[in-house]
Amino acid sequence: MAWQLQPTVATTTVRCSSSSPPPPARRSANYAPSSWDYDSLLMMSLNNRGHANQVGQDGNFDKLKAGVGERLAAASGGVADQAAMLRLVDTVQRLGVAYHFEEEIATILSSIHRKPHRCNGDDVGSEALKFRLLGESGFPIAFHKESLENLRHVSKSYQTSTLVNDDVKALLSLYEASYLAFGGGETLDEARAFSANALRKMLPTIDPHSRRGVVHALNLPLHRRSTRLEARWFIDHYARDASNSDPLLLQFAVMDFNNVQSVHQQELARLARWWKETSLVGKLGFARDRLMECFHYSNGIVWEPNHGDCREVLAKVANLIVQLDDVYDVYGTIDELVLFTEAIGRWEESPSERLPEYMQALYSVMYNTSGEVAESIMKQHGCDTRSLLRKAWHDMAKSFLVEAKWHHGNHRPTLHEYLKNGSVSSSAPLLLQHAFPLLSMEEKLTLESLGKVGSYPRLVQSASLILRLCNDSATHSDELERGDAPSSIAMHMSENRSREKESRKAMEDLTMDTWKSINEDAFKHCKFPRPFAKACVNLARISHCVYLGGDGFGAPDGQKKRQIRELFLEPFMSVKS
């Protein structure tokens, strides 16, 4: 009898195998669920709707804004000396309110650029600030030869003498300016090295407020910081220096920050509603649910209230990229990923490939979201961007597939191969190609201009490489533990037989060289509309911020969550002074 049972068991096994093959082995990254309650976002939005509609229309707000405008007008009229004018512009920018006064600031900087006289020859700090502010605004500027010699002399004295408060400010200004270096800027490289070294040495001896600013800068220089994050920090920092802060500027900055935050909350509510309606959290349970973090990243690229449409699109696209990345990097089999990539290449409403349900769900949201963007651009500009966006999605999917094949085939690419592919797989080109038509508000959008952005110009590639390098720096250790494909750090270690510390230093040097290319293409010889060039720079900046000290997408820590709360959920109630 036992023998007679064998055929029955065998038949049953074969029949089950034929109709229902065993599920493929799946990996899991064990990502934590979202830290944010989307229902609370919707409720908060309803509570703040009236406030959002009054942004910029409050009488006190208008009075404060006019007062700040008068300060700037007085400065441009020659009332203040050049150093004071520079400090005023710098303060207004760091407080996050410069977007209200672009004409006034342009007038001041043009005036400074035209004047033949320079700052006091001994005022290294003002000379460095002048270089940074004018350079970031596109004015041709360089340290004068006399100033360079003075910098070398001052650097030696800094190393041998006791520093006073003005020396601290000068060093800090020089340190910040040095990050606006271009290719061949050895003097600024030298300035960066000695100013950073001197600032570190003097930390124990300076006053607490100055020390706080120095630590902040050494942790990440201003040129690499997200504008909105910096404004949140600087408003608080500025308020702590009661003897040197301007109450008018401070009041206006606080009120404006809260107003803009209210606008962002309305956008978050719409995004939360969209995200819940896609039902992708349930259908792709293996993937990261990071809508809030994606909005934070998109806000780092474009944060101004008038760019809300662009910001919401970028947040949706970034969120879908996270899902797509986890499909290719963690969950999908190679056979599934090949079919998925082919389906994205054809970009049909209903793909002919027999995709698994989870892929069908994601593809549908990707297709519909991109289609809505293209339709909006067509209405606004009369230009068809469907081909551009389809190619951008397909290029990124192909780059994801390359990395999946490397992993599943146990293939270790060269560092050059990895970085070349990574300039697309980082997702920055896809984001920027969605941003470009949405930021083309003043210039006519043409197929030629779309093609220029779609051809991966150096500025786009450089911003993308920064994202790739920042990501690798933060995720290198965790990805090794999960058995993921190696990072740029791991490949450099392998190719050069170096230790991790040495390879990290090599990638930091590559980051610096890449930033020099960004500075060249965005500020010195910019060939793109300023809003788009600014978006490229800002993408590189927010990449540093979200990956500083850890993975802001995969495992956001307490500091990252606090930053998001302060930016989008917690208004300034008061400021310390």
Side-chain angles (χ1 to χ4, degrees):
M1 293 295 292
W3 179 85
Q4 290 178 343
L5 289 174
Q6 296 301 318
T8 305
V9 173
T11 302
T12 302
T13 302
V14 170
R15 185 166 58 247
C16 290
S17 177
S18 175
S19 59
S20 301
R26 305 283 189 185
R27 298 170 62 223
S28 172
N30 295 317
Y31 291 120
S34 174
S35 304
W36 312 101
D37 181 1
Y38 299 138
D39 290 332
S40 296
L41 290 179
L42 294 173
M43 291 302 298
M44 180 178 61
S45 168
L46 291 174
N47 295 335
N48 280 346
R49 182 170 295 171
H51 175 70
N53 292 335
Q54 295 174 2
V55 169
Q57 299 181 19
D58 182 86
N60 193 37
F61 178 88
D62 290 339
K63 186 182 298 184
L64 291 171
K65 181 179 176 181
V68 176
E70 289 170 3
R71 288 269 203 288
L72 292 165
S76 64
V79 174
D81 63 29
Q82 195 172 102
M85 292 162 67
L86 289 165
R87 289 193 298 270
L88 176 61
V89 170
D90 184 47
T91 301
V92 169
Q93 288 183 347
R94 295 189 70 175
L95 287 170
V97 296
Y99 73 105
H100 287 292
F101 309 104
E102 291 180 352
E103 291 185 7
E104 293 89 339
I105 289 173
T107 299
I108 291 174
L109 295 180
S110 296
S111 170
I112 291 173
H113 185 255
R114 286 195 308 268
K115 289 180 180 178
H117 74 275
R118 300 191 294 275
C119 301
N120 187 318
D122 295 325
D123 191 354
V124 179
S126 294
E127 198 67 29
L129 180 59
K130 176 181 176 181
F131 171 81
R132 178 168 65 80
L133 294 180
L134 290 179
E136 287 180 340
S137 296
F139 291 95
I141 184 70
F143 281 119
H144 295 278
K145 183 177 180 180
E146 298 89 338
S147 300
L148 296 178
E149 292 302 321
N150 190 40
L151 288 178
R152 292 190 180 97
H153 171 73
V154 170
S155 71
K156 292 177 182 178
S157 66
Y158 280 155
Q159 297 170 16
T160 59
S161 64
T162 303
L163 292 158
V164 297
N165 196 48
D166 285 345
D167 295 332
V168 175
K169 292 179 181 178
L171 270 173
L172 194 54
S173 182
L174 178 60
Y175 169 81
E176 298 288 20
S178 72
Y179 281 88
L180 192 62
F182 306 105
E186 289 80 8
T187 302
L188 287 174
D189 292 337
E190 178 188 344
R192 185 183 318 110
F194 73 69
S195 59
N197 184 53
L199 287 167
R200 289 188 185 96
K201 287 183 177 180
M202 53 178 263
L203 273 176
T205 64
I206 58 177
D207 67 273
H209 185 266
S210 297
R211 186 185 307 124
R212 185 172 185 258
V214 170
V215 169
H216 182 72
L218 291 175
N219 194 34
L220 190 68
L222 178 62
H223 192 56
R224 296 184 183 180
R225 286 191 178 273
S226 167
T227 304
R228 190 72 175 158
L229 274 174
E230 176 63 15
R232 180 62 181 79
W233 179 87
F234 189 74
I235 289 171
D236 179 69
H237 184 67
Y238 187 66
R240 293 169 186 250
D241 190 16
S243 61
N244 292 305
S245 61
D246 184 330
L248 172 66
L249 294 181
L250 185 59
Q251 281 184 283
F252 180 67
V254 168
M255 185 174 289
D256 186 69
F257 184 93
N258 290 346
N259 284 348
V260 175
Q261 184 183 80
S262 184
V263 172
H264 291 163
Q265 288 175 354
Q266 297 296 313
E267 296 165 1
L268 268 171
R270 288 191 290 271
L271 287 166
R273 189 174 297 110
W274 164 81
W275 183 229
K276 291 183 70 173
E277 289 173 353
T278 67
S279 301
L280 286 181
V281 172
K283 295 174 181 176
L284 280 72
F286 57 87
R288 290 163 289 178
D289 179 8
R290 299 292 184 265
L291 177 67
M292 196 73 154
E293 288 77 10
C294 289
F295 182 75
H296 174 36
Y297 192 84
S298 303
N299 189 68
I301 300 173
V302 285
W303 65 270
E304 296 88 343
N306 62 317
H307 289 319
D309 289 345
C310 180
R311 186 163 43 253
E312 288 187 50
V313 165
L314 292 180
K316 289 179 180 180
V317 172
N319 203 41
L320 294 175
I321 289 170
V322 170
Q323 309 299 300
L324 196 66
D325 184 38
D326 290 341
V327 167
Y328 279 86
D329 199 33
V330 176
Y331 196 75
T333 67
I334 282 294
D335 290 341
E336 291 172 349
L337 297 177
V338 169
L339 289 176
F340 198 26
T341 306
E342 291 173 352
I344 293 173
R346 271 192 289 280
W347 206 243
E348 299 166 340
E349 184 174 1
S350 299
S352 56
E353 289 80 5
R354 297 184 61 183
L355 300 175
E357 288 186 10
Y358 77 93
M359 283 185 169
Q360 292 179 25
L362 177 56
Y363 178 90
S364 177
V365 179
M366 288 165 50
Y367 182 88
N368 291 334
T369 300
S370 194
E372 291 170 4
V373 174
E375 183 179 350
S376 175
I377 295 169
M378 173 63 81
K379 289 180 180 178
Q380 185 176 356
H381 294 283
C383 197
D384 189 352
T385 57
R386 288 176 298 178
S387 178
L388 171 77
L389 300 182
R390 176 200 63 77
K391 181 179 180 299
W393 278 108
H394 190 212
D395 285 351
M396 192 182 70
K398 287 189 294 184
S399 70
F400 280 179
L401 181 60
V402 167
E403 293 178 354
K405 288 181 175 179
W406 286 344
H407 171 73
H408 288 277
N410 292 317
H411 171 70
R412 182 182 289 271
T414 65
L415 179 60
H416 175 75
E417 289 173 332
Y418 173 81
L419 293 178
K420 182 178 180 182
N421 189 73
S423 67
V424 180
S425 69
S426 74
S427 78
L430 178 63
L431 289 168
L432 292 172
Q433 287 173 45
H434 276 81
F436 178 74
L438 294 167
L439 292 173
S440 300
M441 302 171 67
E442 299 178 0
E443 299 192 19
K444 181 176 175 57
L445 193 64
T446 64
L447 291 176
E448 181 182 0
S449 62
L450 288 172
K452 184 178 178 182
V453 173
S455 65
Y456 299 91
R458 191 176 76 158
L459 179 57
V460 170
Q461 289 188 41
S462 298
S464 183
L465 181 55
I466 292 294
L467 171 52
R468 176 80 278 155
L469 293 171
C470 290
N471 179 298
D472 284 358
S473 177
T475 63
H476 167 72
S477 299
D478 288 342
E479 289 183 345
L480 279 182
E481 289 182 11
R482 290 198 300 264
D484 290 350
S487 68
S488 55
I489 296 169
M491 275 174 280
H492 185 274
M493 290 171 64
S494 176
E495 289 183 12
N496 295 275
R497 298 184 179 181
S498 57
R499 293 175 297 178
E500 181 177 334
K501 183 178 181 180
E502 295 167 341
S503 291
R504 283 189 177 275
K505 176 61 169 61
M507 294 303 99
E508 290 171 6
D509 291 342
L510 178 58
T511 298
M512 189 67 242
D513 289 341
T514 306
W515 263 108
K516 289 180 181 180
S517 293
I518 291 176
N519 293 339
E520 186 89 22
D521 294 340
F523 303 116
K524 196 172 186 180
H525 302 300
C526 187
K527 299 177 181 178
F528 294 98
R530 182 162 175 77
F532 179 71
K534 186 177 177 182
C536 293
V537 174
N538 285 344
L539 185 145
R541 286 170 169 163
I542 190 63
S543 298
H544 281 284
C545 295
V546 298
Y547 288 113
L548 181 65
D551 183 358
F553 282 106
D557 59 16
Q559 181 184 14
K560 299 291 192 301
K561 294 173 185 176
R562 177 182 58 78
Q563 288 177 342
I564 289 175
R565 285 197 307 270
E566 290 178 346
L567 280 184
F568 306 120
L569 305 179
E570 300 174 355
F572 274 109
M573 302 306 294
S574 61
V575 288
K576 298 177 182 178
S577 59

